[in-house]
Amino acid sequence: MRFGSIAPPYNGSADFEDDYSDNTDDGWAEYSMSGSDIVAFANAYLANNGPQNFNASSKALAGDETWTSGILIADVTLRSSGDAGIMTRVTNAGHGANEALGCYAAISSTGKVVLELHDGRKNIEIASAPMAVTIGRKYRLKMSNSGSTVKVWVDGVQVFDTVDSSAHKRGQIGLRTNFADVTFDNVKYTRTVDKDRFVDNADNGWKRFGGNFSLTGGAYYLNNANGTGTTGKSSW
Amino acid sequence: MTLESDVRVMSGTGDTGLIFRATNLGTSADAMNGYYVGIRDSTDQLLLGRMNGTWSEITTASVPIQSGVNYRMKVVAAGPDIRVYIDDMAIPKLHVHDATWSAGAVGVRAHFASAAFDNLSITR
């Protein structure tokens, strides 16, 4: 059992992964300015917002609004000019280009990597770095949220370090395009914070070794004995 | 990896605290590979050690510990760099380099003591 399934209750699974090998968009909710312009096809996820399509922007969100800290990775390939990228801590999403709160890390065909904070009305660029972006080439974007900071990598190279993102504390993960035709693939989100406040008076996800355990009043007790309780994975 | 929890010694002469990078656990007291950091009210100590079936103390610090009081304990382990904080989250009470164990589960432990734990969080 995953530790993430203990408490508090989560609506989604602890982590999220999609390589679109089933050619479906199960698990995703799409927000787009003109109908269904995001489709799972040929083992990838295609968004068609290029200049010729007049769609401007779309988003696809997955996961749980309670997610706080984690690492999101996705392959992003621009198939036209424009920008596209990955989102974290997304809440209050709507169909418009500015209609969501959250963090957005993107590559742009103008030759840069950007980090934006979206407040639901404006998309505020808080970091930018020049980078040659080739249309048709796949880039692996990675964004890590931990507490109030966000970090961004492209193809394993860190671009932005510990940028303050305290305006956005939790939310879903997402993919977003802006005036671009884009292919997304190999989306993977790993939550990095697990909590147990023992409010359910249960130690689901724990293993007991020796000792005399009890749970009462929302705390975990070890009574008059030698004992060890563990949780997590041997790879941690 | 950052591990945090409220730790409270209820009674007993021993110590209680958190384990990390734990593998090969068994039911007897030191039956694991990994690290343990504990507080002991009988000697007013914070102690850090490792197990490989037997206990090896790495270091200790003098910290006033009262039974029945919640202490916020935090372990920050990055490679061989291990820091332990009690209540003051700015300055570690213990800071060691030990490369014996690199990965494993986390948990709680009581050793000749009764103890309570709450509000546990893990950041990987």
Side-chain angles (χ1 to χ4, degrees):
Chain A
M1 178 181 284
R2 289 181 189 280
F3 182 52
S5 62
I6 303 176
Y10 296 100
N11 297 324
S13 63
D15 299 321
F16 181 89
E17 213 166 328
D18 198 348
D19 64 2
Y20 306 102
S21 55
D22 58 357
N23 278 323
T24 75
D25 57 1
D26 293 349
W28 293 92
E30 286 149 13
Y31 299 85
S32 140
M33 292 179 73
S34 62
S36 56
D37 53 1
I38 311 183
V39 291
F41 180 75
N43 301 327
Y45 204 28
L46 310 184
N48 298 309
N49 298 118
Q52 73 281 12
N53 290 322
F54 308 107
N55 290 334
S57 184
S58 55
K59 294 178 287 291
L61 304 182
D64 196 289
E65 289 207 337
T66 64
W67 284 353
T68 54
S69 296
I71 297 167
L72 174 63
I73 298 173
D75 292 339
V76 180
T77 308
L78 286 172
R79 288 181 286 109
S80 75
S81 60
D83 66 78
I86 57 179
M87 299 190 76
T88 55
R89 296 189 176 179
V90 184
T91 56
N92 298 291
H95 293 278
N98 300 345
E99 288 184 289
L101 279 69
C103 308
Y104 175 58
I107 52 172
S108 166
S109 62
T110 60
K112 61 181 180 178
V113 190
V114 296
L115 179 64
E116 295 177 355
L117 297 184
H118 293 186
D119 71 0
R121 291 178 296 118
K122 298 187 305 296
N123 301 337
I124 303 148
E125 183 177 292
I126 56 168
S128 174
M131 187 185 86
V133 175
T134 305
I135 291 169
R137 181 189 181 294
K138 180 172 74 185
Y139 296 90
R140 175 155 284 196
L141 267 60
K142 173 176 161 185
M143 179 153 54
S144 155
N145 288 85
S146 179
S148 62
T149 60
V150 57
K151 303 177 183 184
V152 176
W153 292 255
V154 178
D155 289 340
V157 177
Q158 188 166 359
V159 185
F160 305 128
D161 187 21
T162 57
V163 178
D164 182 66
S165 63
S166 51
H168 305 295
K169 295 184 169 38
R170 61 177 177 82
Q172 292 183 282
I173 57 165
L175 307 170
R176 180 175 184 269
T177 75
N178 198 37
F179 293 104
D181 290 345
V182 189
T183 301
F184 296 102
D185 207 352
N186 301 314
V187 181
K188 186 173 183 188
Y189 182 72
T190 310
R191 290 178 55 233
T192 53
V193 172
D194 293 294
K195 288 187 167 57
D196 199 339
R197 300 178 56 217
F198 302 108
V199 288
D200 55 358
N201 287 323
D203 63 350
N204 299 326
W206 289 78
K207 289 179 192 161
R208 300 175 176 187
F209 296 91
N212 171 14
F213 292 82
S214 64
L215 285 130
T216 179
Y220 200 22
Y221 290 89
L222 263 162
N223 306 301
N224 292 322
N226 298 323
T228 304
T230 71
T231 189
K233 303 171 189 173
S234 59
S235 60
W236 283 12
Chain B
M1 191 277 315
T2 300
L3 171 64
E4 274 190 74
S5 180
D6 299 337
V7 179
R8 182 161 91 242
V9 181
M10 310 292 289
S11 63
T13 57
D15 47 79
T16 187
L18 304 175
I19 63 165
F20 53 103
R21 297 183 176 172
T23 55
N24 298 319
L25 287 114
T27 52
S28 63
D30 296 325
M32 58 172 258
N33 294 340
Y35 297 97
Y36 166 71
V37 56
I39 51 175
R40 184 158 57 210
D41 63 328
S42 64
T43 57
D44 283 332
Q45 274 183 314
L46 171 68
L47 51 128
L48 172 66
R50 62 174 183 259
M51 286 91 113
N52 64 350
T54 59
W55 168 250
S56 304
E57 188 174 280
I58 298 171
T59 188
T60 64
S62 264
V63 178
I65 302 293
Q66 293 183 319
S67 65
V69 173
N70 264 329
Y71 294 91
R72 189 68 180 165
M73 179 181 283
K74 179 165 85 167
V75 177
V76 179
D81 189 85
I82 298 168
R83 296 164 203 241
V84 181
Y85 303 77
I86 293 287
D87 286 344
D88 176 357
M89 293 303 163
I91 300 165
K93 292 279 193 303
L94 300 176
H95 186 185
V96 302
H97 284 74
D98 189 291
T100 310
W101 308 116
S102 59
V106 300
V108 297
R109 179 176 187 252
H111 187 240
F112 295 102
S114 292
F117 305 91
D118 207 350
N119 301 311
L120 185 129
S121 81
I122 303 146
T123 307
R124 285 177 285 133

